[in-house]
């Protein structure tokens, strides 16, 4: 049985009291999660990380924490930026290259590669979003960091057309998803961990996670409700 990685991307949602309430409800659902079978990673806004980490550590909730982004720079005079070294005491993972960051904040491929390097240098796991194979081809031509560290990176096939944000978005055809997640490994030339991102919900999670080359999902809107998220982690 393959190990599944379920990543919650809360985006710009929840206050500290709301995050505490989410954790209380999630803990109350009493899931049987073995780390050998499933790894649950929640990526809230930066402001929630210290409080969430304290609760998770105290109550031993089977969740790892990640950030939704990271600075492409090391520590220093970068006003408003949070470096990998700033974050490493709070998180184990970080999402980088998300299409919303590209579209709304005009991030470049070069910046994304720099973020991957910063995370790896600080022993954090990049959750690298790939919108299409042209993007991946650029990364591979630009630098060998993805190939040499393939076993330390979680890849996500994340087509922008499928990302939920409250609108009528839908996951892509399963065969297209399976083909593209397979292509990521082929292009890198190694066995890689590849997730799918885009409108994953309790209704389609089981079918998506059963695809040969899909090792889990990057969950947006559906992760905001702990019960819905639970039904994705343990789909019927």
């Amino acid at each position: 049985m393959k190990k599944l990685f379920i990543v919650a991307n809360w985006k710009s949602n929840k206050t500290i009291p709301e995050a505490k309430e989410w954790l209380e409800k999630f803990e109350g659902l009493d899931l049987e999660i073995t780390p050998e079978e499933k790894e649950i990673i929640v990526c809230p806004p930066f402001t929630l990380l210290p409080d969430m980490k304290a609760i998770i550590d105290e109550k031993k909730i089977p969740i790892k924490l990640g950030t939704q982004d990271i600075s492409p720079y090391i520590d220093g005079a970068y006003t408003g930026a949070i470096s990998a070294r700033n974050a490493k005491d709070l998180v184990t993972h970080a999402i980088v290259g998300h299409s919303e960051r590209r579209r709304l904040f005009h991030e470049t491929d070069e910046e994304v590669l720099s973020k991957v390097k910063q995370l790896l240098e600080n022993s954090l796991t990049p959750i690298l979003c790939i919108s299409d194979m042209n993007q991946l081809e650029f990364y591979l031509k630009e630098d060998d960091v993805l190939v040499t560290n393939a076993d330390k990176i979680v890849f996500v096939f994340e087509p922008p057309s499928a990302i939920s944000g409250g609108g009528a978005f839908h996951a892509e055809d399963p065969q297209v998803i399976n083909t593209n997640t397979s292509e990521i490994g082929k292009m890198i030339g190694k066995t890689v961990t590849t997730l799918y991102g885009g409108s994953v919900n309790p209704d389609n999670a089981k079918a998506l996670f059963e695809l040969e080359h899909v090792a889990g999902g990057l969950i947006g809107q559906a992760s905001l409700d702990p019960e819905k998220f639970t039904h994705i982690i343990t789909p019927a």
Side-chain angles (χ1 to χ4, degrees):
M1 180 183 292
K2 65 185 176 184
K3 180 175 178 176
L4 290 178
F5 295 78
I6 316 295
V7 183
N9 178 11
W10 284 5
K11 306 187 180 184
S12 289
N13 290 291
K14 297 195 182 297
T15 61
I16 291 173
E18 289 168 346
K20 290 179 177 178
E21 181 183 7
W22 189 98
L23 286 172
E24 287 172 4
K25 288 182 178 179
F26 184 86
E27 184 191 22
L29 296 169
D30 198 26
L31 293 179
E32 291 186 10
I33 301 172
T34 58
E36 295 78 21
E37 294 181 358
K38 293 177 183 177
E39 192 161 299
I40 314 303
I41 303 146
V42 177
C43 301
F46 283 115
T47 52
L48 307 182
L49 287 170
D51 290 271
M52 289 186 68
K53 179 171 171 53
I55 294 171
I56 289 168
D57 289 350
E58 178 189 351
K59 298 190 174 185
K60 295 181 169 47
I61 302 173
I63 288 175
K64 292 185 176 181
L65 286 175
T67 72
Q68 299 171 23
D69 189 35
I70 207 73
S71 173
Y73 305 111
I74 60 173
D75 292 7
Y78 303 103
T79 300
I82 296 177
S83 73
R85 199 171 81 89
N86 294 153
K88 67 184 299 183
D89 292 331
L90 295 171
V91 302
T92 54
H93 295 70
I95 299 170
V96 289
H98 195 285
S99 62
E100 289 171 351
R101 297 290 312 175
R102 296 169 171 281
R103 177 170 56 87
L104 298 172
F105 300 95
H106 313 293
E107 288 187 356
T108 66
D109 290 333
E110 290 85 356
E111 286 175 319
V112 173
L113 275 178
S114 181
K115 293 179 182 190
V116 169
K117 291 176 184 177
Q118 290 298 320
L119 291 168
L120 292 169
E121 287 174 9
N122 284 276
S123 301
L124 297 174
T125 301
I127 301 172
L128 175 60
C129 297
I130 306 292
S131 297
D132 57 58
M133 298 309 125
N134 289 332
Q135 188 180 88
L136 179 57
E137 185 176 9
F138 172 86
Y139 291 152
L140 296 176
K141 287 182 177 178
E142 188 77 6
D143 201 291
D144 66 354
V145 65
L146 301 189
V147 174
T148 56
N149 294 278
D151 60 330
K152 300 174 184 174
I153 299 170
V154 174
F155 296 86
V156 184
F157 172 53
E158 183 233 22
S161 59
I163 296 170
S164 62
F169 294 88
H170 303 282
E172 290 196 330
D173 176 86
Q175 189 54 50
V176 173
I177 294 170
N178 203 48
T179 299
N180 280 288
T181 49
S182 171
E183 187 64 20
I184 291 174
K186 288 178 182 176
M187 290 177 67
I188 291 172
K190 293 184 176 181
T191 300
V192 297
T193 298
T194 309
L195 317 184
Y196 176 69
S199 300
V200 180
N201 58 56
D203 296 326
N204 62 20
K206 187 174 189 295
L208 290 173
F209 297 165
E210 286 177 348
L211 294 172
E212 181 182 0
H213 299 288
V214 175
L218 176 60
I219 322 298
Q221 189 175 15
S223 71
L224 298 176
D225 182 317
E227 288 197 29
K228 284 185 179 179
F229 189 52
T230 298
H231 290 312
I232 291 173
I233 296 170
T234 56

